[in-house]
Short mmCIF file of all heavy atoms in Angstrom, two decimals:
data_model
loop_
_atom_site.label_atom_id
_atom_site.label_comp_id
_atom_site.label_asym_id
_atom_site.label_seq_id
_atom_site.Cartn_x
_atom_site.Cartn_y
_atom_site.Cartn_z
N ALA W 226 56.67 135.51 73.26
CA ALA W 226 56.43 136.15 74.56
C ALA W 226 56.32 135.12 75.66
O ALA W 226 56.86 135.29 76.77
CB ALA W 226 55.15 136.99 74.49
N LEU W 227 55.64 133.98 75.37
CA LEU W 227 55.49 132.91 76.36
C LEU W 227 56.85 132.31 76.73
O LEU W 227 57.09 131.97 77.89
CB LEU W 227 54.56 131.83 75.82
CG LEU W 227 54.27 130.65 76.77
CD1 LEU W 227 53.66 131.14 78.08
CD2 LEU W 227 53.35 129.63 76.09
N VAL W 228 57.74 132.20 75.75
CA VAL W 228 59.09 131.68 76.01
C VAL W 228 59.81 132.56 77.02
O VAL W 228 60.45 132.08 77.96
CB VAL W 228 59.90 131.58 74.70
CG1 VAL W 228 61.37 131.29 75.00
CG2 VAL W 228 59.33 130.48 73.80
N GLN W 229 59.68 133.88 76.84
CA GLN W 229 60.36 134.82 77.74
C GLN W 229 59.77 134.77 79.15
O GLN W 229 60.50 134.81 80.14
CB GLN W 229 60.28 136.24 77.19
CG GLN W 229 61.03 136.45 75.89
CD GLN W 229 62.51 136.13 76.02
OE1 GLN W 229 63.13 136.37 77.05
NE2 GLN W 229 63.09 135.57 74.97
N VAL W 230 58.46 134.67 79.24
CA VAL W 230 57.82 134.62 80.56
C VAL W 230 58.12 133.29 81.25
O VAL W 230 58.29 133.23 82.47
CB VAL W 230 56.30 134.87 80.45
CG1 VAL W 230 55.64 134.81 81.82
CG2 VAL W 230 56.02 136.22 79.82
N SER W 231 58.23 132.22 80.47
CA SER W 231 58.61 130.93 81.06
C SER W 231 60.01 131.02 81.66
O SER W 231 60.26 130.49 82.76
CB SER W 231 58.59 129.83 79.98
OG SER W 231 57.28 129.67 79.47
N ALA W 232 60.92 131.71 80.95
CA ALA W 232 62.28 131.90 81.47
C ALA W 232 62.25 132.78 82.72
O ALA W 232 63.02 132.57 83.66
CB ALA W 232 63.16 132.52 80.39
N ALA W 233 61.35 133.75 82.73
CA ALA W 233 61.21 134.61 83.91
C ALA W 233 60.72 133.81 85.11
O ALA W 233 61.14 134.04 86.24
CB ALA W 233 60.26 135.76 83.61
N LEU W 234 59.82 132.85 84.87
CA LEU W 234 59.32 131.99 85.95
C LEU W 234 60.42 131.14 86.57
O LEU W 234 60.37 130.80 87.75
CB LEU W 234 58.20 131.09 85.44
CG LEU W 234 56.76 131.60 85.58
CD1 LEU W 234 55.78 130.58 85.04
CD2 LEU W 234 56.43 131.95 87.03
N GLN W 235 61.41 130.79 85.77
CA GLN W 235 62.53 130.02 86.30
C GLN W 235 63.36 130.85 87.27
O GLN W 235 64.02 130.31 88.15
CB GLN W 235 63.42 129.52 85.16
CG GLN W 235 62.71 128.49 84.27
CD GLN W 235 63.58 128.05 83.11
OE1 GLN W 235 64.77 128.34 83.06
NE2 GLN W 235 62.98 127.35 82.16
N LEU W 236 63.31 132.18 87.10
CA LEU W 236 64.03 133.06 88.01
C LEU W 236 63.24 133.31 89.29
O LEU W 236 63.81 133.37 90.37
CB LEU W 236 64.32 134.40 87.30
CG LEU W 236 65.22 134.33 86.06
CD1 LEU W 236 65.29 135.68 85.37
CD2 LEU W 236 66.62 133.86 86.45
N GLU W 237 61.91 133.46 89.15
CA GLU W 237 61.04 133.69 90.31
C GLU W 237 59.75 132.90 90.09
O GLU W 237 58.80 133.41 89.50
CB GLU W 237 60.75 135.18 90.50
CG GLU W 237 61.96 136.00 90.92
CD GLU W 237 61.61 137.43 91.30
OE1 GLU W 237 60.43 137.69 91.63
OE2 GLU W 237 62.51 138.29 91.24
N SER W 238 59.74 131.67 90.56
CA SER W 238 58.64 130.74 90.24
C SER W 238 57.31 131.11 90.87
O SER W 238 56.26 130.70 90.36
CB SER W 238 59.03 129.32 90.66
OG SER W 238 59.29 129.29 92.06
N ASN W 239 57.32 131.87 91.95
CA ASN W 239 56.06 132.20 92.64
C ASN W 239 55.73 133.69 92.59
O ASN W 239 54.94 134.17 93.39
CB ASN W 239 56.13 131.73 94.09
CG ASN W 239 56.15 130.22 94.21
OD1 ASN W 239 55.46 129.52 93.46
ND2 ASN W 239 56.93 129.71 95.15
N ASN W 240 56.34 134.39 91.68
CA ASN W 240 56.06 135.82 91.54
C ASN W 240 54.66 136.00 90.93
O ASN W 240 54.42 135.59 89.79
CB ASN W 240 57.11 136.46 90.63
CG ASN W 240 56.98 137.97 90.55
OD1 ASN W 240 55.90 138.49 90.33
ND2 ASN W 240 58.09 138.67 90.70
N PRO W 241 53.71 136.61 91.67
CA PRO W 241 52.33 136.73 91.18
C PRO W 241 52.23 137.47 89.85
O PRO W 241 51.42 137.09 88.98
CB PRO W 241 51.63 137.53 92.29
CG PRO W 241 52.45 137.29 93.50
CD PRO W 241 53.85 137.16 93.03
N LYS W 242 53.05 138.50 89.67
CA LYS W 242 53.03 139.26 88.43
C LYS W 242 53.43 138.39 87.25
O LYS W 242 52.80 138.43 86.17
CB LYS W 242 53.99 140.45 88.55
CG LYS W 242 54.06 141.34 87.32
CD LYS W 242 55.04 142.47 87.56
CE LYS W 242 55.18 143.34 86.31
NZ LYS W 242 56.16 144.44 86.51
N VAL W 243 54.46 137.57 87.44
CA VAL W 243 54.92 136.69 86.36
C VAL W 243 53.90 135.57 86.11
O VAL W 243 53.60 135.24 84.96
CB VAL W 243 56.30 136.09 86.72
CG1 VAL W 243 56.80 135.22 85.58
CG2 VAL W 243 57.31 137.19 87.01
N LEU W 244 53.33 135.01 87.17
CA LEU W 244 52.31 133.97 87.01
C LEU W 244 51.10 134.50 86.25
O LEU W 244 50.54 133.81 85.38
CB LEU W 244 51.88 133.45 88.39
CG LEU W 244 52.86 132.51 89.09
CD1 LEU W 244 52.46 132.31 90.55
CD2 LEU W 244 52.95 131.17 88.36
N ASP W 245 50.70 135.71 86.59
CA ASP W 245 49.60 136.38 85.90
C ASP W 245 49.82 136.39 84.39
O ASP W 245 48.96 135.96 83.60
CB ASP W 245 49.54 137.84 86.40
CG ASP W 245 48.16 138.18 86.92
OD1 ASP W 245 47.21 137.51 86.52
OD2 ASP W 245 48.03 139.13 87.72
N PHE W 246 50.97 136.91 84.01
CA PHE W 246 51.31 137.06 82.60
C PHE W 246 51.44 135.69 81.93
O PHE W 246 51.00 135.48 80.79
CB PHE W 246 52.61 137.85 82.48
CG PHE W 246 52.87 138.47 81.13
CD1 PHE W 246 51.91 138.45 80.12
CD2 PHE W 246 54.09 139.08 80.87
CE1 PHE W 246 52.15 139.03 78.89
CE2 PHE W 246 54.34 139.66 79.64
CZ PHE W 246 53.38 139.62 78.64
N PHE W 247 52.03 134.73 82.65
CA PHE W 247 52.21 133.39 82.10
C PHE W 247 50.86 132.72 81.81
O PHE W 247 50.69 132.07 80.78
CB PHE W 247 53.03 132.54 83.08
CG PHE W 247 53.30 131.15 82.60
CD1 PHE W 247 54.33 130.89 81.70
CD2 PHE W 247 52.51 130.08 83.03
CE1 PHE W 247 54.57 129.59 81.25
CE2 PHE W 247 52.75 128.80 82.58
CZ PHE W 247 53.78 128.55 81.68
N ILE W 248 49.92 132.87 82.73
CA ILE W 248 48.59 132.26 82.53
C ILE W 248 47.92 132.86 81.31
O ILE W 248 47.35 132.15 80.46
CB ILE W 248 47.72 132.44 83.78
CG1 ILE W 248 48.31 131.67 84.96
CG2 ILE W 248 46.28 131.99 83.52
CD1 ILE W 248 47.70 132.01 86.31
N GLU W 249 47.98 134.19 81.18
CA GLU W 249 47.37 134.87 80.03
C GLU W 249 47.93 134.33 78.72
O GLU W 249 47.18 134.00 77.78
CB GLU W 249 47.62 136.38 80.12
CG GLU W 249 46.83 137.09 81.19
CD GLU W 249 47.13 138.58 81.23
OE1 GLU W 249 47.83 139.06 80.31
OE2 GLU W 249 46.69 139.26 82.18
N LEU W 250 49.26 134.26 78.63
CA LEU W 250 49.90 133.82 77.39
C LEU W 250 49.67 132.33 77.14
O LEU W 250 49.52 131.91 75.98
CB LEU W 250 51.40 134.12 77.45
CG LEU W 250 51.77 135.61 77.37
CD1 LEU W 250 53.26 135.81 77.67
CD2 LEU W 250 51.44 136.17 75.99
N SER W 251 49.60 131.54 78.20
CA SER W 251 49.34 130.11 78.03
C SER W 251 47.96 129.88 77.45
O SER W 251 47.75 129.02 76.58
CB SER W 251 49.47 129.39 79.38
OG SER W 251 50.80 129.45 79.87
N ILE W 252 46.98 130.66 77.92
CA ILE W 252 45.62 130.55 77.40
C ILE W 252 45.58 130.97 75.94
O ILE W 252 44.97 130.29 75.09
CB ILE W 252 44.65 131.41 78.25
CG1 ILE W 252 44.52 130.81 79.65
CG2 ILE W 252 43.29 131.50 77.58
CD1 ILE W 252 43.79 131.70 80.64
N VAL W 253 46.24 132.08 75.61
CA VAL W 253 46.27 132.56 74.22
C VAL W 253 46.89 131.52 73.30
O VAL W 253 46.43 131.32 72.16
CB VAL W 253 47.07 133.89 74.14
CG1 VAL W 253 47.35 134.27 72.69
CG2 VAL W 253 46.29 135.00 74.83
N ASN W 254 47.93 130.82 73.79
CA ASN W 254 48.63 129.84 72.97
C ASN W 254 48.04 128.43 73.08
O ASN W 254 48.60 127.48 72.54
CB ASN W 254 50.11 129.80 73.36
CG ASN W 254 50.88 131.02 72.85
OD1 ASN W 254 51.22 131.11 71.69
ND2 ASN W 254 51.13 131.96 73.74
N GLY W 255 46.91 128.30 73.81
CA GLY W 255 46.25 127.01 73.92
C GLY W 255 46.98 126.01 74.78
O GLY W 255 46.80 124.80 74.62
N ARG W 256 47.82 126.48 75.69
CA ARG W 256 48.59 125.59 76.58
C ARG W 256 47.77 125.34 77.85
O ARG W 256 47.96 125.99 78.88
CB ARG W 256 49.94 126.21 76.93
CG ARG W 256 50.77 126.61 75.72
CD ARG W 256 51.26 125.38 74.95
NE ARG W 256 52.08 125.77 73.81
CZ ARG W 256 53.37 126.03 73.85
NH1 ARG W 256 54.00 125.97 75.01
NH2 ARG W 256 54.02 126.35 72.76
N LEU W 257 46.84 124.40 77.75
CA LEU W 257 45.88 124.16 78.83
C LEU W 257 46.57 123.67 80.11
O LEU W 257 46.28 124.16 81.21
CB LEU W 257 44.83 123.14 78.37
CG LEU W 257 43.77 122.75 79.40
CD1 LEU W 257 42.96 123.97 79.83
CD2 LEU W 257 42.84 121.68 78.82
N ILE W 258 47.45 122.70 79.98
CA ILE W 258 48.09 122.12 81.17
C ILE W 258 48.93 123.17 81.89
O ILE W 258 48.86 123.32 83.12
CB ILE W 258 48.96 120.91 80.77
CG1 ILE W 258 48.08 119.78 80.21
CG2 ILE W 258 49.77 120.42 81.97
CD1 ILE W 258 48.85 118.60 79.67
N GLU W 259 49.75 123.90 81.12
CA GLU W 259 50.61 124.94 81.72
C GLU W 259 49.77 126.01 82.41
O GLU W 259 50.10 126.47 83.52
CB GLU W 259 51.49 125.58 80.66
CG GLU W 259 52.57 124.67 80.12
CD GLU W 259 52.11 123.88 78.91
OE1 GLU W 259 50.88 123.68 78.77
OE2 GLU W 259 52.98 123.43 78.13
N ALA W 260 48.66 126.41 81.76
CA ALA W 260 47.80 127.45 82.34
C ALA W 260 47.18 126.97 83.65
O ALA W 260 47.11 127.71 84.63
CB ALA W 260 46.72 127.83 81.34
N SER W 261 46.72 125.71 83.68
CA SER W 261 46.08 125.16 84.87
C SER W 261 47.06 125.05 86.04
O SER W 261 46.74 125.40 87.18
CB SER W 261 45.48 123.79 84.57
OG SER W 261 44.50 123.88 83.56
N GLU W 262 48.26 124.57 85.74
CA GLU W 262 49.27 124.45 86.79
C GLU W 262 49.65 125.82 87.35
O GLU W 262 49.81 125.98 88.57
CB GLU W 262 50.51 123.75 86.24
CG GLU W 262 50.28 122.27 85.94
CD GLU W 262 51.51 121.62 85.31
OE1 GLU W 262 52.45 122.37 84.95
OE2 GLU W 262 51.53 120.38 85.19
N ALA W 263 49.82 126.80 86.47
CA ALA W 263 50.18 128.14 86.92
C ALA W 263 49.05 128.77 87.73
O ALA W 263 49.30 129.48 88.71
CB ALA W 263 50.51 129.03 85.71
N LEU W 264 47.80 128.48 87.36
CA LEU W 264 46.66 129.02 88.11
C LEU W 264 46.64 128.43 89.53
O LEU W 264 46.39 129.17 90.50
CB LEU W 264 45.35 128.71 87.39
CG LEU W 264 44.09 129.22 88.09
CD1 LEU W 264 44.13 130.73 88.28
CD2 LEU W 264 42.83 128.81 87.31
#
Side-chain angles (χ1 to χ4, degrees):
L227 181 58
V228 169
Q229 294 302 324
V230 180
S231 297
L234 267 181
Q235 293 178 11
L236 297 173
E237 292 188 21
S238 59
N239 292 322
N240 186 312
K242 180 180 177 181
V243 182
L244 285 168
D245 235 337
F246 199 7
F247 181 81
I248 295 168
E249 288 180 9
L250 290 171
S251 295
I252 292 170
V253 169
N254 286 283
R256 305 291 181 84
L257 179 61
I258 295 174
E259 290 90 336
S261 299
E262 290 177 351
L264 180 59

